[in-house]
Amino acid sequence: MQIVIRPSAEAVGEAAATLVAAAILKKENAVLGLATGSTMLPTYSSLQTLCQQGSISFSKVRTFNLDEYVGLAPDHINSYARFMRENLFDYINIDKSGTRLPNGLAGDVAKECHDYDALIAAAGGIDLQLLGIGHNGHIGFNEPGDAFEEGTHEVRLTESTLEANSRFFDNPDDQPRTAMTMGVGSIFRARSILLLATGKGKAEAVRDMVHGTISPKCQASILRLHPCTTIILDTDAAALL
Ligand code: F6R
């Protein structure tokens, strides 16, 4: 695990975008694993700039997002599908038919999860997986528990995650209680992993990921066993290392 510390969230985004750009320059049809959330915004903004300047092209890139809320349509204001369009896909030259997220409206959620894993495998697996980290150490929506889940699956969100994400929902009753997420196994199979964390609120989770016991109680801790993981932190998120 390589740890890089930058002075601000913007500088973290620039550093992360540089690594994503390098992956695309190395392989024009790279398969990217993408995340949503506030941490990703500076990275997505830097990627938009790099693409608009002509430094990189997403025309052959394919993407798989980590997760989606169960019950939200792709056009719902809080869906991750919409987040991705509004913060990245609408501003880069990507072929949207190659951008995938679990379908929040799938009638058979277990089948949707199974099919999602099959699509990732058919694409040849993920070259570079972007991750944020939850205050409780979650990656994707793999919440603290007794096991590391293998493939894409449905999860009941913990109170701490519901609380952290409630800021995006005007009406708390509209906030879904379950989501589909890639499993830790799916994440771990990515050839390289890039986890970003910014802000004081992530300092404890970052400390537990880097120095705590490798355990499903802190799902991100397993990344220490991955042969090609880079963590980029701002000084606040790195404060307890
Ligand atoms: C989102 C995701 C989550 C977030 C994490 C951090 O697709 O998978 O694991 O990365 O909850 O969210 P922010 O960046 O909003 O603090």
Side-chain angles (χ1 to χ4, degrees):
M1 177 181 269
Q2 192 195 0
I3 301 180
V4 176
I5 301 175
R6 288 284 177 266
S8 65
E10 286 66 35
V12 168
E14 281 166 25
T18 304
L19 293 181
V20 175
I24 296 170
L25 289 171
K26 198 167 139 198
K27 184 178 173 189
E28 63 177 359
N29 63 345
V31 179
L32 302 179
L34 298 179
T36 59
S38 315
T39 311
M40 295 300 140
L41 293 176
T43 303
Y44 291 160
S45 165
S46 291
L47 286 173
Q48 289 176 33
T49 305
L50 287 171
C51 184
Q52 287 159 13
Q53 286 169 346
S55 307
I56 48 170
S57 171
F58 285 85
S59 63
K60 298 208 166 70
V61 169
R62 290 152 300 155
T63 67
F64 289 92
N65 263 79
L66 282 166
D67 39 22
E68 180 59 285
Y69 286 114
V70 170
L72 296 195
D75 279 335
H76 190 283
I77 190 158
N78 293 116
S79 76
Y80 286 167
R82 180 140 166 198
F83 176 100
M84 290 310 302
R85 285 199 306 280
E86 291 185 345
N87 292 293
L88 187 63
F89 298 153
D90 282 350
Y91 301 96
I92 59 175
N93 66 334
I94 200 160
D95 175 356
K96 289 206 180 93
S97 67
T99 66
R100 304 271 186 171
L101 295 94
N103 176 8
L105 290 187
D108 183 341
V109 172
K111 180 174 184 307
E112 176 67 14
C113 292
H114 179 268
D115 291 352
Y116 199 66
D117 286 334
L119 282 173
I120 295 172
I126 290 172
D127 292 303
L128 174 61
Q129 176 67 56
L130 264 177
L131 296 173
I133 183 170
H135 297 94
N136 60 8
H138 75 207
I139 47 176
F141 273 136
N142 293 281
E143 302 283 30
D146 298 327
F148 293 112
E149 289 275 348
E150 170 58 27
T152 303
H153 60 287
E154 184 174 10
V155 278
R156 178 151 292 278
L157 303 178
T158 61
E159 284 308 318
S160 109
T161 296
L162 289 168
E163 158 120 28
N165 291 352
S166 62
R167 66 192 192 276
F168 300 115
F169 291 84
D170 292 338
N171 179 355
D173 291 340
D174 290 345
Q175 187 174 8
R177 297 310 198 241
T178 62
M180 282 171 274
T181 180
M182 281 186 202
V184 170
S186 335
I187 293 169
F188 207 80
R189 274 192 294 279
R191 287 179 267 282
S192 58
I193 294 178
L194 178 54
L195 183 143
L196 315 179
T198 54
K200 282 196 179 61
K202 298 293 173 67
E204 287 183 11
V206 167
R207 178 200 57 203
D208 293 349
M209 166 178 67
V210 175
H211 293 306
T213 309
I214 296 176
S215 142
K217 305 275 182 259
C218 175
Q219 296 272 329
S221 62
I222 200 167
L223 299 178
R224 300 221 300 274
L225 301 179
H226 190 280
C228 190
T229 291
T230 303
I231 314 283
I232 310 183
L233 309 169
D234 69 358
T235 38
D236 284 341
L240 299 178
L241 292 184

